[in-house]
Amino acid sequence: MRAMTSSYDWIDAAIATIKKANWYRSPQTPQPSMLMFASNNYLGLAQDQRLIDAAIAATQKYGAGATGSRLVSGHLEIHDQLEQAIAKLKGTESSLVFSSGYLANLGTISALVGARDLILADAYNHSCLKQGAILSGAKVIEYIHRNHENLCQQLKENRSHHRRCLIITDTVFSMDGDICPLKNIVDLAQEFECMVLVDEAHATGVFGDHGGGVVSALGVTYPIIQVGTLSKALGSLGGYVAGSAKFIDYLKNRASTWIYTTGLSPGDTAAALKAVEIVQTEPQLRQNLWANVKLLKTALTETEISILPTTSQILAITVGDTKKNLAISQYLNTQNIFAPAIRPPTVPTPRIRLTLMATHTSTEIQTLVSKLKTAIHQLD
Ligand code: PMP
């Protein structure tokens, strides 16, 4: 038998190139004893006993898996309950849950537009919006990050050459923590007859009086398609799309990442349903989170550690090149603090990305800042 050699040899060279650029990554297991400053578990709900109990009860009632796609054998009544609860949270007529936020974006974008259409996308959008745009086959134009004038210019130059137009953007940008200028985007969408799809992955549960996200916090009434995840503030797993009843009905017939995949597991569904109830009824969780954000920002400013402008629970510390960022992150690791260096190609410039949770204590935040200060000075 011939050895499995030459046709796969290129992989060694590809990995070597990744390593040479300092882009090589592998999963790390944070120890439970570590101070966690990188989790998307913004409200601490992933460990909430009520979610765990709901997941166990649903698993016992329905089993470990949904066993089929929703249109065939995998549709459960708790899917309906979760979709109604999400629609209420989001202020829409209807919603649809997917196996992940990533799949929700791929399926929705590619169902909305095709080869005759145009997508205008913020240059800093999450990977799943970018990949969804490519998959759709539409013409994709990226506008300068959060830049209203540039978006307007692109619309003026390109809109009339296309049938449908879809503007896509994160509301809270995952790597910088800044927020899209939603009202400006909606004004342009109205003027140029565009659909708007926003990804509320980092905003749901966190923004708005009842945790509805940025769309709800700003009280925007334009019909926006809201996509998001069940895996961050909601502490479970899965994704969703919220919009009008007719649009959701259409998706059930056209979104291939929903049609041809197994329904969300009973445990994940029930945990998310409990989380949606909690984020609407327990505003104290958000108040704790925002108090922690304020505390960290003030402490970083006092210590003269620079961060990118942010109005969310995501803070990006900017301290030099990739090597320095990696060294700082490694030092923090030795101090039992988990705060990863995020680097190209994930982001254009390297940074230590911190995320806050409602469950952090002020002592934990102060420890982080003091260790960061030591790391930055030691490594200068
Ligand atoms: N959108 C954004 C902005 C994200 O940050 C992420 C996850 N990192 C996703 C979508 C994907 O969500 P999920 O993890 O549910 O696939």
Side-chain angles (χ1 to χ4, degrees):
M1 204 169 91
R2 276 179 60 186
M4 218 182 83
T5 52
S6 54
S7 49
Y8 296 95
D9 284 353
W10 63 270
I11 295 174
D12 294 325
I15 290 179
T17 305
I18 296 168
K19 286 188 170 162
K20 207 168 156 200
N22 266 329
W23 286 1
Y24 182 77
R25 296 184 293 184
S26 58
Q28 293 174 38
T29 311
Q31 298 307 315
S33 64
M34 287 185 105
L35 257 181
M36 171 54 74
F37 282 100
S39 174
N40 300 319
N41 183 21
Y42 300 125
L43 302 178
L45 290 181
Q47 280 78 32
D48 190 297
Q49 196 58 44
R50 293 167 292 179
L51 269 70
I52 296 169
D53 290 343
I56 292 170
T59 306
Q60 274 164 347
K61 181 169 176 188
Y62 298 102
T67 77
S69 66
R70 294 273 300 275
L71 291 176
V72 182
S73 61
H75 181 61
L76 303 170
E77 59 194 349
I78 49 170
H79 289 140
D80 278 335
Q81 287 167 20
L82 176 58
E83 285 164 351
Q84 280 161 22
I86 292 169
K88 189 162 164 256
L89 175 72
K90 290 281 165 185
T92 58
E93 284 175 356
S94 192
S95 89
L96 190 64
V97 295
F98 287 68
S99 305
S100 73
Y102 207 108
L103 289 170
N105 273 310
L106 291 188
T108 306
I109 296 168
S110 57
L112 280 167
V113 284
R116 293 162 61 195
D117 305 320
L118 174 66
I119 289 180
L120 282 159
D122 187 290
Y124 282 16
N125 278 346
H126 187 262
S127 157
C128 56
L129 293 175
K130 290 181 190 271
Q131 293 301 324
I134 293 169
L135 184 65
S136 76
K139 171 153 176 82
V140 184
I141 298 176
E142 288 196 335
Y143 58 89
I144 300 169
H145 178 53
R146 295 177 71 236
N147 190 311
H148 176 239
E149 287 74 35
N150 187 234
L151 173 57
C152 184
Q153 186 63 30
Q154 299 289 5
L155 282 164
K156 279 186 185 148
E157 283 170 20
N158 298 285
R159 173 67 186 99
S160 62
H161 308 309
H162 299 273
R163 180 183 59 167
R164 298 199 277 263
C165 177
L166 175 67
I167 302 173
I168 57 175
T169 181
D170 290 7
T171 52
V172 174
F173 287 90
S174 57
M175 291 298 138
D176 293 46
D178 50 356
I179 296 178
C180 75
L182 191 58
K183 288 200 162 154
N184 291 338
I185 290 173
V186 163
D187 287 345
L188 288 175
Q190 211 142 20
E191 187 183 339
F192 288 92
E193 252 188 67
C194 306
M195 303 177 285
V196 179
L197 179 148
V198 296
D199 184 341
E200 293 257 64
H202 296 273
T204 301
V206 174
F207 284 82
D209 291 343
H210 302 284
V214 170
V215 175
S216 131
L218 295 177
V220 178
T221 52
Y222 191 78
I224 293 178
I225 295 160
Q226 301 175 57
V227 185
T229 180
L230 306 174
S231 71
K232 301 191 193 295
L234 298 176
S236 180
L237 180 69
Y240 66 82
V241 180
S244 71
K246 80 173 171 201
F247 173 61
I248 296 300
D249 194 32
Y250 168 78
L251 276 187
K252 287 177 187 164
N253 292 278
R254 278 286 177 272
S256 52
T257 62
W258 183 83
I259 299 170
Y260 301 105
T261 197
T262 303
L264 199 61
S265 82
D268 292 326
T269 309
L273 181 58
K274 181 50 79 180
V276 172
E277 179 194 314
I278 293 172
V279 299
Q280 285 173 293
T281 52
E282 297 184 14
Q284 186 63 42
L285 291 170
R286 273 182 294 284
Q287 285 158 19
N288 294 348
L289 175 64
W290 293 120
N292 283 341
V293 170
K294 196 170 163 203
L295 187 66
L296 178 59
K297 273 187 173 172
T298 309
L300 289 172
T301 310
E302 279 168 10
T303 339
E304 292 177 3
I305 297 176
S306 58
I307 57 169
L308 294 178
T310 171
T311 37
S312 75
Q313 72 285 14
I314 300 167
L315 279 75
I317 294 185
T318 47
V319 274
D321 62 6
T322 296
K323 261 198 173 140
K324 177 155 183 175
N325 276 271
L326 281 174
I328 291 171
S329 175
Q330 275 154 13
Y331 170 80
L332 292 174
N333 241 274
T334 65
Q335 301 300 303
N336 229 17
I337 294 175
F338 196 85
I342 310 282
R343 49 210 152 113
T346 308
V347 287
T349 53
R351 78 274 317 263
I352 304 287
R353 177 179 177 270
L354 303 172
T355 58
L356 283 161
M357 296 193 283
T359 46
H360 283 131
T361 64
S362 51
T363 313
E364 289 171 342
I365 292 169
Q366 276 146 13
T367 305
L368 166 73
V369 175
S370 108
K371 299 291 183 192
L372 258 173
K373 193 177 159 193
T374 310
I376 292 168
H377 293 312
Q378 266 184 9
L379 299 163
D380 258 346

